[in-house]
Amino acid sequence: MRTFIIDLTERTLATYAVTFLGLLLADNFDLTSIGALRAAAVAALPAALSVLKGAAAKRVGDPSSAALLVRGRD
C-alpha cells in the first residue's frame, strides 16, 4: 500500500505542476496576477482526476502501482 500511495502522490503532483506551469506560460508567466491564482485553482482539476484514475487503476492493474497496466504473468 505504501508503494501505491507514493506512486499516486508523485503522479498527482507531476500532473498539477505540468498543468500549472502550462497555464502560467499561456498567461505570460506573471505570478502576481489574478491569472496565476486562477491557473493554480484550475490546475487542481486534472490533479484530482489523476487521483481518481489512480484509484481505478489499482483495481485493474498492479495493486502496488497507480499505472493502468494489466498485471503481467511471469
Side-chain angles (χ1 to χ4, degrees):
M1 182 68 158
R2 178 173 161 75
T3 304
F4 173 77
I5 295 295
I6 291 170
D7 186 24
L8 184 58
T9 301
E10 177 187 346
R11 290 169 191 265
T12 302
L13 291 175
T15 300
Y16 182 82
V18 168
T19 305
F20 179 64
L21 289 174
L23 290 170
L24 276 181
L25 288 172
D27 192 36
N28 297 323
F29 208 78
D30 183 10
L31 289 174
T32 60
S33 73
I34 261 314
L37 294 174
R38 187 176 303 144
V42 170
L45 182 60
L49 293 174
S50 177
V51 171
L52 294 176
K53 179 258 178 198
K58 184 174 179 149
R59 295 181 180 266
V60 174
D62 181 357
S64 66
S65 171
L68 197 57
L69 301 173
V70 178
R71 285 176 244 168
R73 299 187 192 259
D74 294 324

